[in-house]
Amino acid sequence: MRRLLLLSLRRLLRPFQISQVRTAYAGIPVRTRVEGFSGMSDDADDPHAAWREWHERRAAAVSAPYGPLALTGTCWLADYPEGRIPAVPGRWRATEAAAAPTATPEDSCRLDGEPQAGEVLLDADEGAPAHARTSTGQPRIVVIRRQGEWGVRVHDPASEARRAFAGVEVTPCDPAFVLPGRFRPYAEDRSVEVENDDGRARGLALGGELIFPYQGAEHTLQVAVDPDDGSLRAVFADATAATAGHRFLRPGIPDARGAITVDPNRSPLPPCAFADHVI
């Protein structure tokens, strides 16, 4: 989703300070990763303490054993008609309704914790990568499906990127960016084609616009609406986009009148900022 700039925020946001992830592994190319976090959390009386708490939780999620830094590959089964996928044991094929890996004892594949032998039919994994049904030692093989196409992702806690990670540097919270906003839904859902990191365009559903003022001007972000809970999500870029890429803004769920707080301080980088294989 790197090309999606659903915003008028380039003139809104001051440039964020550019920092780099501290790395302990000189052989890994260092990405520039800068994130903003808001003071909106459990401690409303001390926004800076809340900001630090949020940052700690965020860093823990990024560096978790099966978090984004552990992702070492995303492969589409259609790209491997012979069934052999690099760094993925067994032989894989796609049916209309399932991914179908075949394993021998030499492949050391496990399904639900037990040795796999022969072919099985797998649905897409819906939970966290740590709970994927297929594994080979520590690495987990996550089955995914996107617009009818089957694929696998490999999450390895021993990845070089995870070993090198030493924290995400952030810009400080600025209360001036906590703004009153309102959500204006579209009469009908819209969709835009977004080029993903694998070069393929996929549809992104949009449910309305997030409108908020700043320094006397009105600004608008197109947003997706979660079909389950009604929460909003926007993708935007600021002055660091050339190095840090786009950011996510998840302001929450608007009230019955559409009112919602917009806080660009809380603008984490997407998973693809930490791994080359997130799609």
Side-chain angles (χ1 to χ4, degrees):
M1 294 189 291
R2 291 183 185 277
R3 291 190 178 182
L4 186 58
L5 305 180
L6 304 177
L7 68 151
S8 58
L9 285 184
R10 285 188 183 277
R11 59 193 178 92
L12 163 63
L13 296 177
R14 56 167 166 68
F16 282 74
Q17 175 185 350
I18 299 294
S19 303
Q20 289 185 329
V21 166
R22 297 183 297 276
T23 178
Y25 184 77
I28 297 293
V30 178
R31 289 177 178 270
T32 301
R33 305 181 182 114
V34 187
E35 295 194 329
F37 300 90
S38 79
M40 296 192 308
S41 84
D42 299 334
D43 193 348
D45 295 331
D46 188 348
H48 294 287
W51 177 90
R52 289 190 295 270
E53 179 185 338
W54 172 269
H55 171 51
E56 291 171 0
R57 291 198 303 267
R58 170 65 175 164
V62 168
S63 61
Y66 295 96
L69 287 166
L71 183 61
T72 59
T74 298
C75 302
W76 301 105
L77 302 191
D79 293 338
Y80 301 90
E82 75 288 352
R84 293 293 185 181
I85 303 173
V88 178
R91 187 180 296 274
W92 292 73
R93 68 183 183 93
T95 72
E96 185 174 337
T102 299
T104 65
E106 291 75 21
D107 290 319
S108 299
C109 287
R110 301 184 77 84
L111 179 67
D112 298 328
E114 299 295 330
Q116 178 189 340
E119 184 179 71
V120 296
L121 300 180
L122 299 176
D123 292 329
D125 288 299
E126 297 183 354
H131 303 299
R133 297 185 64 193
T134 303
S135 63
T136 173
Q138 281 195 321
R140 296 279 178 168
I141 301 170
V142 180
V143 177
I144 59 174
R145 192 178 192 187
R146 296 290 182 274
Q147 295 182 326
E149 188 171 3
W150 291 94
V152 294
R153 287 177 175 159
V154 180
H155 288 257
D156 185 356
S159 71
E160 291 183 345
R162 185 167 179 263
R163 294 200 307 270
F165 182 73
V168 180
E169 295 188 14
V170 297
T171 58
C173 172
D174 185 347
F177 282 99
V178 181
L179 307 166
R182 73 182 187 278
F183 172 60
R184 181 170 61 199
Y186 293 139
E188 297 181 353
D189 286 345
R190 306 178 186 181
S191 179
V192 293
E193 289 292 307
V194 180
E195 184 173 329
N196 287 219
D197 286 348
D198 63 351
R200 307 182 189 192
R202 296 180 176 86
L204 176 67
L206 299 172
E209 296 178 344
L210 183 61
I211 305 162
F212 51 95
Y214 184 74
Q215 294 185 344
E218 187 175 84
H219 303 270
T220 301
L221 283 170
Q222 292 177 284
V223 294
V225 181
D226 188 288
D228 295 326
D229 63 12
S231 61
L232 308 182
R233 185 187 71 178
V235 182
F236 76 96
D238 61 16
T240 69
T243 52
H246 63 273
R247 303 172 187 277
F248 287 160
L249 182 67
R250 297 186 176 96
I253 304 172
D255 68 15
R257 299 171 301 160
I260 191 168
T261 298
V262 180
D263 184 1
N265 290 294
R266 181 193 260 183
S267 53
L269 295 167
C272 61
F274 301 94
D276 292 325
H277 308 283
V278 177
I279 299 170

